[in-house]
Amino acid sequence: MSADRPGTDTMRAMQLDAVRQPLSLVERPTPQPGPGEMLIKVAACGVCRTDLHIVDGDIHGTVPIVPGHEVIGHVLALGQDVTAFKIGDRVGVPWLGQTCGVCPYCRSGRENLCDRPQFTGFDRDGGFATHCVANAAYCFALPAAFSDVEAAPLLCAGLIGYRSLKIAGEAFRIGLYGFGAAAHILAQVAVWQQRRVFAFTRPGDTAAQDFARSLGCIWAGGSDQSSPEALDAAIIFAPVGALVPAALKNVRKGARVVCAGIHMSDIPSFPYVDLWGERSILSVANLTREDGAEFLALAAKVPIRTTTTSFALAEANHALRLLRNGELEGAAVLVPDTSGAA
């Protein structure tokens, strides 16, 4: 194994010991990479709504766990058989941490639906830490155009938004429900593609509506309002099932309503006539590595400008609380203070 040995054998992490409990700042042995893995010194890690769902127990994975799957860092050590990266390279670690490669989904180019996946910060420790280990085959090289903090939200908010946009198809008029980290990135892509973007926020959230208009959305209003134009597609980022029938009322015949979150509250019943006319409802699950390569190249071309608020590693609980309360503009990013550590 090649290694630039850390100056200490320990690392710090914000660890989830039990769901619906605050994360704990812990000191742990610095892990070493196995075959096909890399040890990464974390420079920044975005705080995603999926992290919030993990902490709040909406989805259930391994506990204890270190959350965080929008990881930007530099390679400190290489396990056996890693050839795509070298020590010192800047890399991104996304949600999809590993797939089986042999199930019908993997064999048909749909690794995002793998039957035996591992997810960063859910099944394997993630980036709310000074260091993490990742499977090199699932990491991304990053465009130099983005700083560490700017790049972090691209690794999930950007990626899931991009996959949602692909599933939405050639829609010209697109409604985005929930204008947070993902929507503020996706809006820039869609505007750059010369689509008409309509932003639906929490009712009365004029700050988010102003933010949406500043990014090129032609209209912004509350999710309780009707769209001023019939939409060709709607993408729902907010984890609120009641937005599905609301969006169906705003899309034209033949349009798609895409549910982009990993968790959503129950969808209430609605009249069949709102679905009729070949409207469809579908979900987005995870991402593929192909999605990541396509999106990161596109992000640099647009170029996307992420709006972020930085927090120290020990402030992870505060960042999660702000996200839960809808008090963030854009994305939260943890920046580990590694002074005195490797």
Side-chain angles (χ1 to χ4, degrees):
M1 176 176 68
S2 302
D4 177 4
R5 288 291 298 172
T8 177
D9 292 329
T10 62
M11 56 170 268
R12 291 178 297 114
M14 292 298 289
Q15 180 173 289
L16 178 67
D17 296 307
V19 297
R20 293 181 288 278
Q21 296 297 319
L23 305 182
S24 301
L25 181 61
V26 299
E27 186 171 287
R28 297 167 34 162
T30 302
Q32 294 302 309
E37 295 181 332
M38 304 186 295
L39 173 64
I40 297 166
K41 178 180 177 180
V42 178
C45 185
V47 180
C48 178
R49 183 164 290 278
T50 299
D51 298 315
L52 190 60
H53 290 314
I54 293 168
V55 171
D56 289 349
D58 297 323
I59 58 176
H60 302 283
T62 301
V63 176
I65 194 73
V66 177
H69 55 274
E70 297 179 325
V71 188
I72 309 297
H74 294 83
V75 178
L76 280 183
L78 302 173
Q80 294 177 355
D81 303 322
V82 177
T83 58
F85 298 101
K86 63 183 183 299
I87 291 172
D89 282 353
R90 189 173 77 141
V91 297
V93 185
W95 170 247
L96 187 67
Q98 187 168 308
T99 57
C100 72
V102 297
C103 72
Y105 301 106
C106 286
R107 293 200 309 270
S108 61
R110 295 177 291 168
E111 65 182 6
N112 60 304
L113 301 178
C114 174
D115 284 332
R116 293 177 294 278
Q118 290 185 10
F119 299 114
T120 308
F122 186 66
D123 302 298
R124 51 191 300 155
D125 286 332
F128 285 14
T130 57
H131 301 76
C132 72
V133 166
N135 186 323
Y138 293 80
C139 295
F140 297 115
L142 299 168
F146 301 100
S147 71
D148 297 334
V149 170
E150 290 170 337
L154 301 178
L155 268 294
C156 186
L159 282 174
I160 204 67
Y162 176 69
R163 185 168 181 85
S164 300
L165 186 62
K166 287 174 65 175
I167 289 177
E170 299 299 320
F172 177 57
R173 298 174 179 83
I174 298 179
L176 303 181
Y177 284 78
F179 207 83
H184 101 281
I185 293 172
L186 183 59
Q188 295 177 64
V189 175
V191 169
W192 179 78
Q193 293 175 335
Q194 299 185 332
R195 307 190 198 211
R196 292 171 67 83
V197 183
F198 300 76
F200 295 83
T201 72
R202 295 185 183 189
D205 191 347
T206 56
Q209 292 161 21
D210 290 343
F211 182 41
R213 284 187 286 265
S214 76
L215 295 175
C217 296
I218 66 165
W219 178 90
S223 59
D224 57 344
Q225 294 179 252
S226 297
S227 174
E229 300 178 25
L231 303 174
D232 302 311
I235 300 174
I236 302 175
F237 293 109
V240 181
L243 293 177
V244 172
L248 281 171
K249 289 181 177 296
N250 281 325
V251 298
R252 62 165 178 78
K253 291 183 287 187
R256 295 177 176 178
V257 173
V258 181
C259 302
I262 195 170
H263 170 78
M264 179 179 275
S265 60
D266 290 346
I267 300 171
S269 62
F270 55 88
Y272 176 69
V273 68
D274 291 345
L275 181 64
W276 191 77
E278 299 191 355
R279 296 172 179 87
S280 59
I281 307 167
L282 62 164
S283 67
V284 171
N286 314 313
L287 67 138
T288 67
R289 285 170 285 179
E290 182 180 8
D291 292 331
E294 290 175 359
F295 172 68
L296 290 171
L298 179 63
K301 186 177 181 180
V302 171
I304 289 170
R305 292 290 176 256
T306 54
T307 297
T308 61
T309 303
S310 297
F311 299 84
L313 179 61
E315 296 178 310
N317 288 312
H318 179 53
L320 288 165
R321 185 163 52 251
L322 293 176
L323 177 58
R324 184 183 292 110
N325 295 337
E327 297 176 17
L328 288 166
E329 182 173 88
V333 179
L334 302 184
V335 182
D337 175 12
T338 55
S339 59

